[in-house]
Amino acid sequence: MPLLVEVFANQPFGPLTEPVEPKADDRSAVFIVGSSRGGGLHALLWVLRMFPGHFKNFLFVNARTVDSHACGGIGALEKMREEAVDTLEYFVDFCHSHGMAASSYISFGTDAVDEVTRQCEEINREYPSSIFFTSKLIFATDNWFTRLLHKQAALAVQRRLGAENAA
């Protein structure tokens, strides 16, 4: 189990069970999350610590790449969908258990960066007081292979959204 997942695996849920729905006019923290609960939870807790009481909505975005590997076996696409939904539900349930308004967004496509960019644009229209957060994997030994393998997706989304806002 990766260290980040171990550290955050036992983060306690709060005592509440009722969902709290986000309000479009409230300040929103939007988290672009992958399949790792540890990275997403670390980002959420960091935002709560750095901006106490500032954000009222906590929105979670996930995009999955659908390619020949995802469609390669019977049930592979459905399994990918279930894993993504489970991860997003974890974040939303965690927020709800602490009385925080939360929701999630998921999409599938051939390019995850395109999907995340599209989702962020839609969320920004629905929640105009949004700030977007993501995390980046840091490796003890960074090399061309790890950079190629992880594609620097967060930076690509940032560049696309920044370019569109500058235009």
Side-chain angles (χ1 to χ4, degrees), residues 10-165:
N10 296 318
Q11 187 66 34
F13 275 58
L16 306 176
T17 58
E18 292 298 314
V20 182
E21 295 300 318
K23 296 177 185 166
D25 294 335
D26 287 345
R27 290 182 302 267
S28 303
V30 183
F31 299 91
I32 301 167
V33 297
S35 56
S36 167
R37 290 181 181 177
L41 195 53
H42 178 269
L44 171 63
L45 295 174
W46 179 86
V47 166
L48 290 172
R49 187 176 67 250
M50 296 304 292
F51 307 99
H54 182 75
F55 296 103
K56 304 300 179 201
N57 297 329
F58 298 87
L59 311 174
F60 300 90
V61 175
N62 183 284
R64 296 292 173 106
T65 303
V66 178
D67 56 14
S68 61
H69 179 266
C71 299
I74 296 174
L77 185 58
E78 186 56 35
K79 183 174 189 244
M80 180 195 314
R81 181 173 189 55
E82 287 173 9
E83 289 171 355
V85 167
D86 285 347
T87 298
L88 290 170
E89 283 179 356
Y90 173 84
F91 295 122
V92 171
D93 290 346
F94 181 87
C95 288
H96 287 166
S97 77
H98 291 283
M100 300 183 295
S103 188
S104 65
Y105 301 81
I106 188 169
S107 66
F108 297 88
T110 56
D111 185 332
V113 173
D114 286 344
E115 291 298 313
V116 167
T117 303
R118 184 185 56 72
Q119 286 181 335
C120 290
E121 290 167 342
E122 287 177 15
I123 289 169
N124 199 43
R125 281 190 291 277
E126 187 176 348
Y127 298 91
S129 296
S130 296
I131 296 179
F132 294 81
F133 299 91
T134 190
S135 57
K136 178 182 174 188
L137 293 172
I138 305 293
F139 296 91
T141 53
D142 188 32
N143 58 37
W144 68 270
F145 183 69
T146 57
R147 287 188 297 275
L148 176 67
L149 184 62
H150 294 282
K151 298 182 184 176
Q152 306 294 321
L155 293 174
V157 171
Q158 180 182 15
R159 280 192 298 272
R160 288 186 190 182
L161 292 173
E164 290 175 12
N165 288 333

